[in-house]
Structure formats: structure tokens, C-alpha cells
Amino acid sequence: MTKLLPPGEGSRLLIDGKLVAGGAGVFATVNPATEEVLGQAANADAADMDAAIAAARAAFDNTEWSRDHAFRARCLRQLRDALRDNIEELREITIAEVGAPRMLTSGPQLEGPIGDLGYFADLAESYEWVSDLGVAKPMGIPTARTLRREAIGVVGAITPWNFPHQINFAKLGPALAAGCTVVLKPAPDTPWVAALVGTVIAEQTDIPAGVINIVTSDDHQLGAQLVTDPRVDMISFTGSTQTGRTIMAGAAQSLKKVFLELGGKSAFIVLDDTDVAAAASYAGFTVCVHAGQGCALTTRLLVPREQYDTAVAAAAKSMGGIVPGDPNEPGTVCGPVISARQLERVQRYIDIARAEGGTIVTGGGSPDRERGYFIEPTLISGLSNTSTVAQEEIFGPVLVVIPHDGDDDAIRLANESPYGLSGEVWGTDQARIDHVVNGVRTGTLGVNGGIWYSADAPFGGYKQSGIGRELGVAGFEEYLETKLIATAQK
Ligand code: NAD
């Protein structure tokens, strides 16, 4: 097996089936755990992006890709299997470039989303592409109606750095299964993990030229170019709410569809009929996974006021026991954050919490390590839900504990947020749990530790957490158009 990234060599772009250098040279990709330059990635320029869009357009317009469902299913399974053949090299690069804890690479940071490609291959085969609406007599004319679902066209996929494989494949899988062609613009912080998938596609699959194009760049403007180009039919974006706004505005000129997975500030609601200490301990643990760099993590812990001290003590104990460490180590849960910029951002929010009168119960700074972008799991008490750290997304291992005065107050506080991505409810009485689930306005909710994430389960946000759903049949249908054919009957 050829090495995807021969030692000393950088990654390349995938444009029109060929692996090519970037018009703007190269840019460095950095190991966030060591601050060392891992190597170089191809740096695309506007002409490269233009060529990628042209290739995707041509592959969509001039080939049978969008109509040959069986071929696409075969290509998706072939891609899944080829990625599995290269899994150990992909794993080491994912740990090094993303700072992803090794234990997560057997799940959501690598192997999980690769396996999920099979779900979308199955869907391409089993989906009801054509359905019969029967004969009706609109305006007195007997008419047979046929409903057809067709691929939307060229998709521009723009993705962030936190779970890059998960997010890249959650777009590539359904878009390709639907019959679209794609230009993927990954985050500047994690170019290699996307580019190496491009190498696998080019060298080890039959996916036709132009169907997938992968354009790495250190320039956000290449994303903006994708958004405004009229040859692109849809933008599928995951990232910050602020960038989502910019993308929606940019897409308005060509009136293309936007699908947005954005930020979150999700609430973990603990009812007073459950073991509050156990719930708080679990909440403290989950917010530390991958150094808190998960959009759907529950970063506000809402607990019964009379058990506030119990909850704070339990969360502090679990968070204080998690030492940020080398993501290579099999036992590490909390590795580094992605960059110096992100580290400064998290530290700035902790400083704001102090300035607003909050108490840092545990953590609050960087651990005693010589290198790497590490931050201690940090628990904040003594602030209200309107404080900055309770309202704004931090994207670090930071949890704020807020008291509530009963189930309705907990619902009110959970919804007192511009976001509506996810949440968690812990309780015993099913009627009370149902009442809270009904009241909270978010796209996913876990109950007593249930896991909502799965290839067949739609994920996405209410309010400013996004538009549309990723994964599941709903996520697949985001990439489809609807065509109705009405044939007059004799
Ligand atoms: P970001 O918004 O800064 O960047 C995301 C992507 O958008 C990158 O590829 C970037 O190059 C590109 N981009 C930036 N400006 C652009 C522009 N003007 N036009 C087009 N593209 C542009 O986000 P980030 O810092 O990389 O990621 C962290 C954010 O992502 C967090 O807010 C997090 O909540 C969110 N996120 C959301 C989900 C979800 O599913 N809801 C999942 C993961 C991350």
C-alpha cells in the first residue's frame, strides 16, 4: 500500500480527479499538542477553486453520476473500504493534526463516520426515488402524477476543524448518495485529514473525475468564493454562527440553498427527583471530551437551587480529575484545543467570568506543560444565565452551573439562549421528563445519558444553531430537489 503522505512531502489538492499542487504554494499544518509544524498542505488560490467548481459542474451536467444510483452506492462502499485499508495512517495523522484523543478515533473522530458511509450507500439503493401520486382531475383534466426526487446539483461543503472527518463525511456521504457532485473546502487548521481522503479517492476508488474536489487553503475567502459562485447549487456549512450569517448573506445573490450547522450553548437539565451529584459528575465529564470542542456539548448545567452546592462539588470533582494530556495516550479524554488563537479565546472567556463575579471552582488556566495548546477543565459557579459565559459559545472544557427553581424554570433557562442545538435531561418521573422535553427548543435531546448521535438520526439546530438537518433520511433529502410530472390521461 502506498503511503498517503510520504515522509517529507506535503498534501495536495484534488481537482477534476487529479492530485495537484496549490496555486498559492503551501501552508503549514501544526500539531496542537506539541506546537510543531507537522508539514505542509497545498494552498489553493482562486483559480484552483474556479477549476474545482468547473470540474464539479461538468461531472454533474455531463455524466450519468446523478442518475446511476447503483454505481454511486458501489463507489461509496468502495471509498469506505479503501479508507479502512488506510485506517492506521489516517488515525495517526488525525491524532497529530486535530489533537483528537486516540480513544475517539475508534468512534466519532474517524472510524464511526467512515463506517456511516455504508448507511448512505444503502439509502441510495433503497430510497424511493420515484413515487406515484395517482390520477386526479385538477381543473377537470384527468392527470397521472409522478413525483421524482433528483440530486440538487453541485454542493459546496465548508467545514470546521473540531471533528473534521465526522463533518466532512456527514456531508460527502449524503451528497454523493443523492447524486450531487461536491467541492469540499475544509478548515485551514486541519487540511491534511481532508486532503488524504482526496488521495484515497484519487488513487483507490472508481469515483469519477470531478465528482469530489477537495480544496485546502489558509484563506477563508476561498469559502466565500464557493458561496457566491452561481455554478454552485447549494452550500452545506458547519461552523460558527457568525460565519453562517455571512454565508447566508453571500448565498442570497445567486439564491442558492444553504444548509447550516452552527454553534450551540446547550443545557443539561437536572430535575430534583434524580441523583443530582451523579448527573453533575457526568455533565462535568462530558464537557471535557476533546477539550470541549464539540458544538453539541452541554455547557450549561441547570440544577435545583437547593442542591446547587452538591452539584458544584460533584462536577468539580469529576472535572478536577481530568488532566489534559497527550492525545496519543490511550487514556486521554481531554487533549489540546486546536490553536493558540482558540486557547486565547477560551482563556479570555474564563477571565470574563471572573470579571463578572463568577467563581472558578476548578481549573481556570493552562496546565503546567511546556508545549501545546492545553487548558484545564474549568468549572464556573455563582453566575446567572444572562452572564457572558452562559450565553456565548466558548468551545473549550468550560462548564457553568446555574440554579433553577423547578421544571418550568429550567425550561425557561434552557430556552433563554440564541442557540437551540442540543441538550440533556436527567430525572426519574417520566411525565416530568416529557414535560421538559416538550418545552425545550433544540434539535436533539439526550435523556438520562441516551445517545442521539447515529448515521440514521437527523442532527441539527433550532434558532441560531442552524437551518436543516444532517444525517438520517432528513439529512439525505437536504441534497434533493423535487420534480412533479403531470401526464394528461386520454
Ligand atoms: P468558522 O465558522 O470560523 O469556520 C468554519 C469554516 O468556514 C472554515 O472552513 C472556514 O475557512 C470557513 N469560512 C470562514 N469564513 C468564511 C466565509 N466568510 N465564507 C465562507 N467560508 C468561510 O468555524 P470554526 O472556528 O472552524 O469551527 C468552530 C465552530 O463550528 C463553532 O462555533 C462550533 O459550534 C461550530 N460547529 C458546529 C457544528 C454543528 O454541527 N452545529 C459542528 C461542529 C462545529
Side-chain angles (χ1 to χ4, degrees), residues 159-162 185 220 237-240 243 261-263 295 393 395:
T159 57
W161 39 260
N162 59 328
K185 210 293 292 165
H220 294 314
F237 171 74
T238 297
S240 63
T243 305
E261 293 291 355
L262 308 175
C295 51
E393 183 177 56
F395 236 53

Side-chain angles (χ1 to χ4, degrees), residues 473-488:
V473 175
F476 170 76
E477 289 180 336
E478 296 283 352
Y479 297 90
L480 297 179
E481 277 287 12
T482 300
K483 183 179 280 176
L484 190 282
I485 300 135
T487 306

Side-chain angles (χ1 to χ4, degrees), residues 69 127-135 144-150 477 480-487:
H69 308 320
Y127 190 69
E128 196 178 355
W129 294 94
V130 180
S131 50
D132 183 0
L133 292 193
V135 176
R145 289 94 36 82
T146 304
L147 189 67
R148 277 208 341 227
R149 304 304 305 268
E150 297 180 344
E477 289 180 336
L480 297 179
E481 277 287 12
T482 300
K483 183 179 280 176
L484 190 282
I485 300 135
T487 306

Side-chain angles (χ1 to χ4, degrees), residues 93-171:
I93 286 176
T94 303
I95 294 166
E97 187 179 58
V98 183
R102 181 173 294 277
M103 70 167 73
L104 295 184
T105 62
S106 52
Q109 280 288 16
L110 183 64
E111 293 187 53
I114 287 173
D116 290 347
L117 291 174
Y119 168 80
F120 289 103
D122 293 348
L123 205 47
E125 287 173 336
S126 64
Y127 190 69
E128 196 178 355
W129 294 94
V130 180
S131 50
D132 183 0
L133 292 193
V135 176
K137 281 191 181 175
M139 298 178 213
I141 300 171
T143 303
R145 289 94 36 82
T146 304
L147 189 67
R148 277 208 341 227
R149 304 304 305 268
E150 297 180 344
I152 201 165
V154 175
V155 173
I158 304 175
T159 57
W161 39 260
N162 59 328
F163 281 80
H165 290 300
Q166 192 278 318
I167 297 166
N168 290 343
F169 290 123
K171 299 192 186 306

Side-chain angles (χ1 to χ4, degrees), residues 254-328:
S254 52
L255 275 177
K256 58 173 61 80
K257 176 173 178 175
V258 288
F259 164 68
L260 305 174
E261 293 291 355
L262 308 175
K265 192 77 202 178
S266 301
F268 190 124
I269 298 174
V270 186
L271 306 185
D272 66 7
D273 65 354
T274 193
D275 182 340
V276 171
S281 175
Y282 177 80
F285 170 80
T286 54
V287 83
C288 299
V289 174
H290 191 33
Q293 301 169 111
C295 51
L297 293 176
T298 44
T299 50
R300 292 183 292 150
L301 177 58
L302 309 183
V303 299
R305 187 178 297 278
E306 57 280 8
Q307 295 190 67
Y308 187 80
D309 293 345
T310 304
V312 169
K317 191 169 175 215
S318 80
M319 293 178 78
I322 296 170
V323 181
D326 183 351
N328 277 297

Side-chain angles (χ1 to χ4, degrees), residues 240-242 245 262-266 300 345 391-393 414-422 441-442 462-466:
S240 63
T241 292
Q242 188 49 46
R245 279 191 199 99
L262 308 175
K265 192 77 202 178
S266 301
R300 292 183 292 150
R345 175 188 160 92
Q391 286 295 306
E392 297 186 13
E393 183 177 56
N415 290 337
E416 189 182 56
S417 168
Y419 297 113
L421 192 53
S422 189
R441 301 194 64 232
T442 63
Y462 285 34
K463 301 195 277 183
Q464 293 185 28
S465 287

